[in-house]
């Protein structure tokens, strides 16, 4: 609402200028506009009048969502917007059956055309859609670019300078929007024919080749695509129902106008006009489909009829140019009027439904340029009339509201511009009457004679100043060919040059005759032959304009008005640039300060009792939270509580009127401060209500949950014990029949036994292979076979895990263990004691290993890598003397080294090994038989505690495992060399002794061990 924005008034200004404290100050007015403009807020109210500033950039405030937001909402409930004005007019027309008019005015470039587009868009969107309504809506929106193309001119000042004032009469029936009638007020601007569309016609050459297009030196518009614009207009014309013949005729007439402008004249030796060339004239004849000879004569002669005689008077070159331009203007003007009629025919629909109208007037604004001529005079006269109408209707509506509300009407002082309007249009004494009289009188008529007669007629009017009647200072600014009018918006000085010519109808009768002889379908319609039968002199341009304007005023007086005042922020058309002088100039010319003074003459704020009470009832204990009596009584009570004096407010029949903005600001500030207390109170009440409601719900929920839970718990208890009893019964029955084959009686029991055994087994699985058999859980009778299979599977699993955990080196040693098991298990009594022992690659000390590397490995590099080494006792072949040696196995052979100096005592290659023999007893003797032809050294007799490991590794590395033999006969013969043999006798005894016996044999006595 408007009141809500008052909190931020210091930052974004007030939404309604009526609420300005210093409403008579222009600086305050401009300052409020500037604040809102900088915040991209372009709309502000003066009562029901909307002031719009052209932002020169898209703001995104005209979306479909914005239309829905403003639809059906009171004017002051949302921030100012052109949609709010459009909706207020639409709702008033629809609900109350009152015809409406929206007047859009402002300077060129202020955004009037865009404002009318947005209003048309909103009204078309908000109207009900049924059948033809959609068609009318589409055609309505498409007719706008057509009228823009033909009705707006590109000038040096603006891209789309409005050369007309058009009023859209939007018709509403019970079925919604039905038809549109367009009312046009227009006049000609010299050499400013439209270029928005004509540049896009497919004519030879560029636009600067045509005289009518090149006078303003503004053929190209930056950022505008002429071809796209032409395509848009062409498409719109097709949709609006124009036939192909009409479209072709339309373009041909436009092209003919351009070529007509290129028709040049020169004076012959007699001072009479003649054509410089015939090419342009021939093209015009071809396009207009009229007789060439008659057109040639009509463009160089003027027909004069006197006493039933017709005389052709030749023209000079200058007069011929005037005649040519008059013909071009007349063709274009009548073409445009035909276009308007054609558009209305496509939009209007007759019917018996009750219809009302919204008049949408998009009119040129008050205009002051460097040299103000007849066109500016007409424009400013139109604005004077509109200002007069605005003041009359505004005061009338104010007075009616005061009367309806029973409030005494106070006369309002304002500048009544009726004196200006009378000065211009008064019969016999007005400026237009003097101009017409001067144009019609015979004799030498000129602009100077017009000014002289004007001085004589209006000398005593203080609102008209000429050079002779002005003071000393005034004569410095007013020329002898100028006059000055004191308009409501300020003083404007007009140059009289061209007033008489522009007011005269220079379309000679001969030109009308030629146009009426055309076979073109449009030209033949707009220049009817019946027009030639009338001998009455056509009205002057000023008279036509005044007549059209007065007709428009009469129409607007029958409507309920709404106003949109458009302002341009700067002349450079740049966004975010606010030029104070430019704005102030327009504020004066639009009469906004006068509008504000009229609106503020009475009360600045008025609201219905219900709306005011609804917003501010919290400021009084008697009206809060609800007033149960009559709204008028509630407002009276509230005002007394706020201690408002009688001169600050008045109470009408349905509304409260507040005179001063500071009173409203004070009330709104109190309301904003009260919001904190209200928020606390409402929050406390809400929390109390919320938590009490929540507590009741929770209590009820708890009771319901408890009841259901008790029921569920009892049901579960019964079900649980019933299932338990059934299970126990089945278990006992199964236990009784447990030794029988699987049957119905023992099925569940046996399943339980299986599951129970598997669960217990899973928790008691042995962790080592060695104790697997001893620690394996004993299985029930029914699961013996299954337990055996599981044991085998688990043994394999442990073996796989063990193998995966072994390193390659350890795995190779275990491989040797397996070989030893295959060779010696059950064959040699010392094997069981060797199983726990770990096989090593060397049994030497670290010091011995170092010495070996220095004294042996470094010397015998060709012996290959080290494989195995250990301490042993070597018995001589002769006498069996025991000698301590170190036995080393390499990749290529074996070496017997002397401890300490690691000197090689004996060595042999693997291929020389003929056999490896051990006894079946627990001794540690290993006999290595070598091939007989090996230097006659004989066999080696070694004794070591690692006899089994030595035999296995020697056979493994020599790849002669098959040559390892366990002798069970009690003796092993060996070769002593040189053809001699010896015998080693193995016996068991109480002690372990190895020595030469009395018989000369080597006797090996070992202790008896069990486990073979």
């Amino acid at each position: 609402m408007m009141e809500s924005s008052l909190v931020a008034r210091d930052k974004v200004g007030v939404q309604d200028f009526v609420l300005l404290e210093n409403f008579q100050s222009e600086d305050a007015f401009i300052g409020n506009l500037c604040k809102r403009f900088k915040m991209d807020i372009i709309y502000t109210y003066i009562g029901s009048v909307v002031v719009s500033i052209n932002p020169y950039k898209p703001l995104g405030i005209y979306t479909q969502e914005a239309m829905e937001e403003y639809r059906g909402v009171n004017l002051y409930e949302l921030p100012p917007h052109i949609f709010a004005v459009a909706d207020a007019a639409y709702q008033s027309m629809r609900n109350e059956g009152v015809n409406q008019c929206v007047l859009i005015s402002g300077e060129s470039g202020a955004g009037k055309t865009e404002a009318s587009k947005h209003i048309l868009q909103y009204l078309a969107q908000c109207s009900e859609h049924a059948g033809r309504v959609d068609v009318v809506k589409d055609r309505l929106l498409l007719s706008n670019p057509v009228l823009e193309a033909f009705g707006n001119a590109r000038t040096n000042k603006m891209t789309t300078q409005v050369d007309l004032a058009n009023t859209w009469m939007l018709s509403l029936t019970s079925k919604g929007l039905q038809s549109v009638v367009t009312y046009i007020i227009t006049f000609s601007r010299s050499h400013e024919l439209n270029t928005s569309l004509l540049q896009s016609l497919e004519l030879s050459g560029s636009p600067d080749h045509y005289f009518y297009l090149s006078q303003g030196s503004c053929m190209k518009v930056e950022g505008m695509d002429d071809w796209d614009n032409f395509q848009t207009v062409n498409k719109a014309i097709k949709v609006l129902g124009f036939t192909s013949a009409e479209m072709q005729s339309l373009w041909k007439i436009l092209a003919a106008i351009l070529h007509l402008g290129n028709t040049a004249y020169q004076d012959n030796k007699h001072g009479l006009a003649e054509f410089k060339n015939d090419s342009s004239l021939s093209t015009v004849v071809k396009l207009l489909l009229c007789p060439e000879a008659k057109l040639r004569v009509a463009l160089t002669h003027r027909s004069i009829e006197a006493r039933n005689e017709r005389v052709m008077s030749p023209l000079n070159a200058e007069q011929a140019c005037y005649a040519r331009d008059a013909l071009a203007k007349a063709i274009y003007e009548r073409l445009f009027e035909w276009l308007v009629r054609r558009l209305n025919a496509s939009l209007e629909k007759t019917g018996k439904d009750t219809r009302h109208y919204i008049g949408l007037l998009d009119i040129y604004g008050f205009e002051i340029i460097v040299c103000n001529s007849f066109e500016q005079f007409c424009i400013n006269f139109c604005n004077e009339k509109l200002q007069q109408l605005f003041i009359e209707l505004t005061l009338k509506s104010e007075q009616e509201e005061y009367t309806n509300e029973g409030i005494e009407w106070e006369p309002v002082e304002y500048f009544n511009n009726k004196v200006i309007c009378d000065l211009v249009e008064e019969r016999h004494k007005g400026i237009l009457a003097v101009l017409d009289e001067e144009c019609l009188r015979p004799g030498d008529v000129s602009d100077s004679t017009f000014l002289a007669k004007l001085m004589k007629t209006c000398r005593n009017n203080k609102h008209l100043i000429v050079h002779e009647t002005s003071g000393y200072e005034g004569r410095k600014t007013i020329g002898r060919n100028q006059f000055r009018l004191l308009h409501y918006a300020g003083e404007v000085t007009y140059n009289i040059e061209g007033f008489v010519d522009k007011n005269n109808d220079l379309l000679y009768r001969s030109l009308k005759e030629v146009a009426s002889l055309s076979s073109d379908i449009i030209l033949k319609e707009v220049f009817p032959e019946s027009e030639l039968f009338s001998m009455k002199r056509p009205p002057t341009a000023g008279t036509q304009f005044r007549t059209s304007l007065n007709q428009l005023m009469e129409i607007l007086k029958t409507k309920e008005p709404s106003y949109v005042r458009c302002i341009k922020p700067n002349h450079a058309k740049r966004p975010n640039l606010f030029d104070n002088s430019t704005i102030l100039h327009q504020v004066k010319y639009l009469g906004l300060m006068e509008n504000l003074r009229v609106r503020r003459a009475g009360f600045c704020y008025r609201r219905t009792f219900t709306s005011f009470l609804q917003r501010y009832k919290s400021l009084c204990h008697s009206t809060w939270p609800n007033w149960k009596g009559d709204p008028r009584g509630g407002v009276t009570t509230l005002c007394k509580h706020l201690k408002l004096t009688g001169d600050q407010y008045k109470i009408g029949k349905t509304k409260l009127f507040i005179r001063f903005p500071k009173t409203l600001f004070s009330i709104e500030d109190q309301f904003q401060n009260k919001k904190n207390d209200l928020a606390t109170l409402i929050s406390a009440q809400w929390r109390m209500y919320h938590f009490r409601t929540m507590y009741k719900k929770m209590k009820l929920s708890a009771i319901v949950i408890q009841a259901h839970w008790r029921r569920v718990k009892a049901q579960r208890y019964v079900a649980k014990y019933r299932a338990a009893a059934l299970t126990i019964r089945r278990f006992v029955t199964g236990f009784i029949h447990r030794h029988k084959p699987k049957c119905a009686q023992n099925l569940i029991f046996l399943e339980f036994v299986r599951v129970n055994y598997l669960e217990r087994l899973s928790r008691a699985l042995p962790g080592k292979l060695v104790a697997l058999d001893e620690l394996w859980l004993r299985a029930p009778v029914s699961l013996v076979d299954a337990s055996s299979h599981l044991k085998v599977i688990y043994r394999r699993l442990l073996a796989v895990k063990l193998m995966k955990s072994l390193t390659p080196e350890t795995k190779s040693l275990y491989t040797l263990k397996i070989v030893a098991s295959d060779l010696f298990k059950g064959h040699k009594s010392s094997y069981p004691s060797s199983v726990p022992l770990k096989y090593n690659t060397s049994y030497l000390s670290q010091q011995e290993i170092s010495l070996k590397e220095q004294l042996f490995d470094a010397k015998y590099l060709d012996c290959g890598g080290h494989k195995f080494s250990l301490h042993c006792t070597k018995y001589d072949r002769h006498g069996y003397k025991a000698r301590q040696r170190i036995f080393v196995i390499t990749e290529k052979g074996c070496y017997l080294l002397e401890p300490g100096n690691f000197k090689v005592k004996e060595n042999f290659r693997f291929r020389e090994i003929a056999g490896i023999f051990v006894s079946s007893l627990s001794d540690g003797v290993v006999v290595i038989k070598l091939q007989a032809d090996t230097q006659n050294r004989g066999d080696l007799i070694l004794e070591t505690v690692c006899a089994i490991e030595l035999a296995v590794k020697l056979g493994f590395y020599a790849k002669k495992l098959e040559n390892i033999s366990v002798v069970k006969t009690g003796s092993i013969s060996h070769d002593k060399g040189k053809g001699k043999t010896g015998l080693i006798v193995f016996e068991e005894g109480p002690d372990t002794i190895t020595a030469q016996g009395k018989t000369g044999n080597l006797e090996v006595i070992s202790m008896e061990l069990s486990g073979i």
Side-chain angles (χ1 to χ4, degrees), residues 335-353:
L335 175 65
F336 184 69
E337 291 174 352
W338 175 87
L339 183 65
V340 171
R341 292 195 301 271
R342 189 66 178 80
L343 289 176
N344 286 337
S346 68
L347 293 173
E348 190 170 13
K349 178 181 183 296
T350 59
K352 296 182 180 179
D353 290 336

PDB file of all heavy atoms in Angstrom, residues 335-353:
ATOM      1  N   LEU A 335      -4.370   9.079 -47.652  1.00  0.00           N
ATOM      2  CA  LEU A 335      -3.987   7.664 -47.550  1.00  0.00           C
ATOM      3  C   LEU A 335      -4.001   7.217 -46.094  1.00  0.00           C
ATOM      4  O   LEU A 335      -4.484   6.129 -45.758  1.00  0.00           O
ATOM      5  CB  LEU A 335      -2.592   7.460 -48.162  1.00  0.00           C
ATOM      6  CG  LEU A 335      -1.997   6.048 -48.026  1.00  0.00           C
ATOM      7  CD1 LEU A 335      -2.828   5.041 -48.812  1.00  0.00           C
ATOM      8  CD2 LEU A 335      -0.547   6.028 -48.493  1.00  0.00           C
ATOM      9  N   PHE A 336      -3.482   8.093 -45.210  1.00  0.00           N
ATOM     10  CA  PHE A 336      -3.460   7.741 -43.790  1.00  0.00           C
ATOM     11  C   PHE A 336      -4.882   7.658 -43.226  1.00  0.00           C
ATOM     12  O   PHE A 336      -5.204   6.770 -42.440  1.00  0.00           O
ATOM     13  CB  PHE A 336      -2.643   8.766 -43.025  1.00  0.00           C
ATOM     14  CG  PHE A 336      -2.478   8.430 -41.569  1.00  0.00           C
ATOM     15  CD1 PHE A 336      -1.703   7.366 -41.172  1.00  0.00           C
ATOM     16  CD2 PHE A 336      -3.135   9.170 -40.595  1.00  0.00           C
ATOM     17  CE1 PHE A 336      -1.558   7.037 -39.829  1.00  0.00           C
ATOM     18  CE2 PHE A 336      -3.003   8.854 -39.264  1.00  0.00           C
ATOM     19  CZ  PHE A 336      -2.202   7.789 -38.878  1.00  0.00           C
ATOM     20  N   GLU A 337      -5.738   8.603 -43.627  1.00  0.00           N
ATOM     21  CA  GLU A 337      -7.127   8.559 -43.169  1.00  0.00           C
ATOM     22  C   GLU A 337      -7.821   7.304 -43.668  1.00  0.00           C
ATOM     23  O   GLU A 337      -8.622   6.688 -42.950  1.00  0.00           O
ATOM     24  CB  GLU A 337      -7.860   9.813 -43.657  1.00  0.00           C
ATOM     25  CG  GLU A 337      -7.390  11.093 -42.982  1.00  0.00           C
ATOM     26  CD  GLU A 337      -8.027  12.321 -43.588  1.00  0.00           C
ATOM     27  OE1 GLU A 337      -8.717  12.170 -44.633  1.00  0.00           O
ATOM     28  OE2 GLU A 337      -7.846  13.427 -43.050  1.00  0.00           O
ATOM     29  N   TRP A 338      -7.524   6.920 -44.908  1.00  0.00           N
ATOM     30  CA  TRP A 338      -8.081   5.661 -45.436  1.00  0.00           C
ATOM     31  C   TRP A 338      -7.576   4.472 -44.625  1.00  0.00           C
ATOM     32  O   TRP A 338      -8.334   3.540 -44.314  1.00  0.00           O
ATOM     33  CB  TRP A 338      -7.677   5.507 -46.903  1.00  0.00           C
ATOM     34  CG  TRP A 338      -8.097   4.188 -47.483  1.00  0.00           C
ATOM     35  CD1 TRP A 338      -9.290   3.876 -48.054  1.00  0.00           C
ATOM     36  CD2 TRP A 338      -7.315   2.980 -47.524  1.00  0.00           C
ATOM     37  NE1 TRP A 338      -9.309   2.561 -48.454  1.00  0.00           N
ATOM     38  CE2 TRP A 338      -8.102   1.980 -48.141  1.00  0.00           C
ATOM     39  CE3 TRP A 338      -6.038   2.650 -47.111  1.00  0.00           C
ATOM     40  CZ2 TRP A 338      -7.647   0.683 -48.352  1.00  0.00           C
ATOM     41  CZ3 TRP A 338      -5.585   1.361 -47.305  1.00  0.00           C
ATOM     42  CH2 TRP A 338      -6.390   0.389 -47.925  1.00  0.00           C
ATOM     43  N   LEU A 339      -6.305   4.511 -44.264  1.00  0.00           N
ATOM     44  CA  LEU A 339      -5.725   3.423 -43.477  1.00  0.00           C
ATOM     45  C   LEU A 339      -6.408   3.307 -42.118  1.00  0.00           C
ATOM     46  O   LEU A 339      -6.720   2.207 -41.651  1.00  0.00           O
ATOM     47  CB  LEU A 339      -4.225   3.676 -43.301  1.00  0.00           C
ATOM     48  CG  LEU A 339      -3.430   2.596 -42.563  1.00  0.00           C
ATOM     49  CD1 LEU A 339      -3.417   1.303 -43.366  1.00  0.00           C
ATOM     50  CD2 LEU A 339      -2.010   3.061 -42.303  1.00  0.00           C
ATOM     51  N   VAL A 340      -6.696   4.469 -41.496  1.00  0.00           N
ATOM     52  CA  VAL A 340      -7.385   4.452 -40.198  1.00  0.00           C
ATOM     53  C   VAL A 340      -8.782   3.868 -40.343  1.00  0.00           C
ATOM     54  O   VAL A 340      -9.220   3.041 -39.535  1.00  0.00           O
ATOM     55  CB  VAL A 340      -7.435   5.880 -39.620  1.00  0.00           C
ATOM     56  CG1 VAL A 340      -8.340   5.921 -38.393  1.00  0.00           C
ATOM     57  CG2 VAL A 340      -6.042   6.356 -39.268  1.00  0.00           C
ATOM     58  N   ARG A 341      -9.489   4.314 -41.381  1.00  0.00           N
ATOM     59  CA  ARG A 341     -10.837   3.751 -41.601  1.00  0.00           C
ATOM     60  C   ARG A 341     -10.769   2.260 -41.851  1.00  0.00           C
ATOM     61  O   ARG A 341     -11.615   1.493 -41.367  1.00  0.00           O
ATOM     62  CB  ARG A 341     -11.496   4.462 -42.794  1.00  0.00           C
ATOM     63  CG  ARG A 341     -11.852   5.916 -42.555  1.00  0.00           C
ATOM     64  CD  ARG A 341     -12.821   6.429 -43.622  1.00  0.00           C
ATOM     65  NE  ARG A 341     -12.258   6.315 -44.959  1.00  0.00           N
ATOM     66  CZ  ARG A 341     -11.525   7.261 -45.547  1.00  0.00           C
ATOM     67  NH1 ARG A 341     -11.262   8.392 -44.898  1.00  0.00           N
ATOM     68  NH2 ARG A 341     -11.065   7.101 -46.775  1.00  0.00           N
ATOM     69  N   ARG A 342      -9.758   1.866 -42.599  1.00  0.00           N
ATOM     70  CA  ARG A 342      -9.614   0.420 -42.914  1.00  0.00           C
ATOM     71  C   ARG A 342      -9.302  -0.389 -41.658  1.00  0.00           C
ATOM     72  O   ARG A 342      -9.832  -1.484 -41.476  1.00  0.00           O
ATOM     73  CB  ARG A 342      -8.497   0.242 -43.943  1.00  0.00           C
ATOM     74  CG  ARG A 342      -8.379  -1.155 -44.504  1.00  0.00           C
ATOM     75  CD  ARG A 342      -9.610  -1.536 -45.340  1.00  0.00           C
ATOM     76  NE  ARG A 342      -9.450  -2.855 -45.910  1.00  0.00           N
ATOM     77  CZ  ARG A 342      -9.653  -3.981 -45.229  1.00  0.00           C
ATOM     78  NH1 ARG A 342     -10.026  -3.927 -43.956  1.00  0.00           N
ATOM     79  NH2 ARG A 342      -9.488  -5.158 -45.820  1.00  0.00           N
ATOM     80  N   LEU A 343      -8.472   0.158 -40.788  1.00  0.00           N
ATOM     81  CA  LEU A 343      -8.163  -0.521 -39.526  1.00  0.00           C
ATOM     82  C   LEU A 343      -9.407  -0.609 -38.651  1.00  0.00           C
ATOM     83  O   LEU A 343      -9.686  -1.649 -38.039  1.00  0.00           O
ATOM     84  CB  LEU A 343      -7.054   0.218 -38.781  1.00  0.00           C
ATOM     85  CG  LEU A 343      -5.642   0.128 -39.363  1.00  0.00           C
ATOM     86  CD1 LEU A 343      -4.687   0.992 -38.562  1.00  0.00           C
ATOM     87  CD2 LEU A 343      -5.156  -1.312 -39.368  1.00  0.00           C
ATOM     88  N   ASN A 344     -10.157   0.486 -38.571  1.00  0.00           N
ATOM     89  CA  ASN A 344     -11.382   0.463 -37.761  1.00  0.00           C
ATOM     90  C   ASN A 344     -12.386  -0.542 -38.293  1.00  0.00           C
ATOM     91  O   ASN A 344     -13.096  -1.203 -37.538  1.00  0.00           O
ATOM     92  CB  ASN A 344     -12.005   1.852 -37.735  1.00  0.00           C
ATOM     93  CG  ASN A 344     -11.220   2.808 -36.857  1.00  0.00           C
ATOM     94  OD1 ASN A 344     -10.501   2.372 -35.973  1.00  0.00           O
ATOM     95  ND2 ASN A 344     -11.355   4.098 -37.109  1.00  0.00           N
ATOM     96  N   ALA A 345     -12.436  -0.667 -39.629  1.00  0.00           N
ATOM     97  CA  ALA A 345     -13.369  -1.638 -40.217  1.00  0.00           C
ATOM     98  C   ALA A 345     -12.988  -3.053 -39.843  1.00  0.00           C
ATOM     99  O   ALA A 345     -13.849  -3.917 -39.653  1.00  0.00           O
ATOM    100  CB  ALA A 345     -13.387  -1.470 -41.743  1.00  0.00           C
ATOM    101  N   SER A 346     -11.681  -3.328 -39.725  1.00  0.00           N
ATOM    102  CA  SER A 346     -11.239  -4.683 -39.375  1.00  0.00           C
ATOM    103  C   SER A 346     -11.379  -4.962 -37.885  1.00  0.00           C
ATOM    104  O   SER A 346     -11.423  -6.117 -37.471  1.00  0.00           O
ATOM    105  CB  SER A 346      -9.783  -4.886 -39.795  1.00  0.00           C
ATOM    106  OG  SER A 346      -8.925  -4.092 -39.016  1.00  0.00           O
ATOM    107  N   LEU A 347     -11.457  -3.871 -37.072  1.00  0.00           N
ATOM    108  CA  LEU A 347     -11.527  -4.062 -35.628  1.00  0.00           C
ATOM    109  C   LEU A 347     -12.947  -3.950 -35.081  1.00  0.00           C
ATOM    110  O   LEU A 347     -13.289  -4.593 -34.101  1.00  0.00           O
ATOM    111  CB  LEU A 347     -10.638  -3.024 -34.917  1.00  0.00           C
ATOM    112  CG  LEU A 347      -9.128  -3.153 -35.136  1.00  0.00           C
ATOM    113  CD1 LEU A 347      -8.414  -1.959 -34.518  1.00  0.00           C
ATOM    114  CD2 LEU A 347      -8.599  -4.444 -34.552  1.00  0.00           C
ATOM    115  N   GLU A 348     -13.764  -3.117 -35.713  1.00  0.00           N
ATOM    116  CA  GLU A 348     -15.089  -2.845 -35.164  1.00  0.00           C
ATOM    117  C   GLU A 348     -16.066  -3.963 -35.503  1.00  0.00           C
ATOM    118  O   GLU A 348     -16.015  -4.555 -36.573  1.00  0.00           O
ATOM    119  CB  GLU A 348     -15.622  -1.515 -35.711  1.00  0.00           C
ATOM    120  CG  GLU A 348     -16.879  -1.057 -35.003  1.00  0.00           C
ATOM    121  CD  GLU A 348     -17.243   0.359 -35.391  1.00  0.00           C
ATOM    122  OE1 GLU A 348     -16.673   0.868 -36.380  1.00  0.00           O
ATOM    123  OE2 GLU A 348     -18.094   0.943 -34.721  1.00  0.00           O
ATOM    124  N   LYS A 349     -16.916  -4.239 -34.565  1.00  0.00           N
ATOM    125  CA  LYS A 349     -17.938  -5.281 -34.756  1.00  0.00           C
ATOM    126  C   LYS A 349     -19.271  -4.748 -34.238  1.00  0.00           C
ATOM    127  O   LYS A 349     -19.373  -4.294 -33.114  1.00  0.00           O
ATOM    128  CB  LYS A 349     -17.568  -6.557 -33.988  1.00  0.00           C
ATOM    129  CG  LYS A 349     -18.623  -7.649 -34.106  1.00  0.00           C
ATOM    130  CD  LYS A 349     -18.196  -8.855 -33.293  1.00  0.00           C
ATOM    131  CE  LYS A 349     -19.192 -10.007 -33.444  1.00  0.00           C
ATOM    132  NZ  LYS A 349     -20.503  -9.666 -32.914  1.00  0.00           N
ATOM    133  N   THR A 350     -20.257  -4.804 -35.079  1.00  0.00           N
ATOM    134  CA  THR A 350     -21.594  -4.352 -34.667  1.00  0.00           C
ATOM    135  C   THR A 350     -22.300  -5.462 -33.915  1.00  0.00           C
ATOM    136  O   THR A 350     -22.056  -6.640 -34.131  1.00  0.00           O
ATOM    137  CB  THR A 350     -22.426  -3.944 -35.886  1.00  0.00           C
ATOM    138  OG1 THR A 350     -22.545  -5.076 -36.762  1.00  0.00           O
ATOM    139  CG2 THR A 350     -21.744  -2.811 -36.632  1.00  0.00           C
ATOM    140  N   GLY A 351     -23.176  -5.067 -33.029  1.00  0.00           N
ATOM    141  CA  GLY A 351     -23.917  -6.061 -32.260  1.00  0.00           C
ATOM    142  C   GLY A 351     -24.888  -5.375 -31.326  1.00  0.00           C
ATOM    143  O   GLY A 351     -24.905  -4.155 -31.168  1.00  0.00           O
ATOM    144  N   LYS A 352     -25.711  -6.157 -30.672  1.00  0.00           N
ATOM    145  CA  LYS A 352     -26.730  -5.618 -29.784  1.00  0.00           C
ATOM    146  C   LYS A 352     -26.260  -5.563 -28.343  1.00  0.00           C
ATOM    147  O   LYS A 352     -26.974  -5.091 -27.477  1.00  0.00           O
ATOM    148  CB  LYS A 352     -28.000  -6.466 -29.879  1.00  0.00           C
ATOM    149  CG  LYS A 352     -28.643  -6.435 -31.264  1.00  0.00           C
ATOM    150  CD  LYS A 352     -29.915  -7.254 -31.286  1.00  0.00           C
ATOM    151  CE  LYS A 352     -30.574  -7.229 -32.664  1.00  0.00           C
ATOM    152  NZ  LYS A 352     -31.801  -8.039 -32.730  1.00  0.00           N
ATOM    153  N   ASP A 353     -25.055  -6.108 -28.072  1.00  0.00           N
ATOM    154  CA  ASP A 353     -24.569  -6.091 -26.704  1.00  0.00           C
ATOM    155  C   ASP A 353     -24.316  -4.659 -26.252  1.00  0.00           C
ATOM    156  O   ASP A 353     -23.858  -3.812 -27.028  1.00  0.00           O
ATOM    157  CB  ASP A 353     -23.249  -6.882 -26.594  1.00  0.00           C
ATOM    158  CG  ASP A 353     -23.503  -8.365 -26.765  1.00  0.00           C
ATOM    159  OD1 ASP A 353     -24.640  -8.769 -26.513  1.00  0.00           O
ATOM    160  OD2 ASP A 353     -22.572  -9.080 -27.146  1.00  0.00           O
TER     161      ASP A 353
END
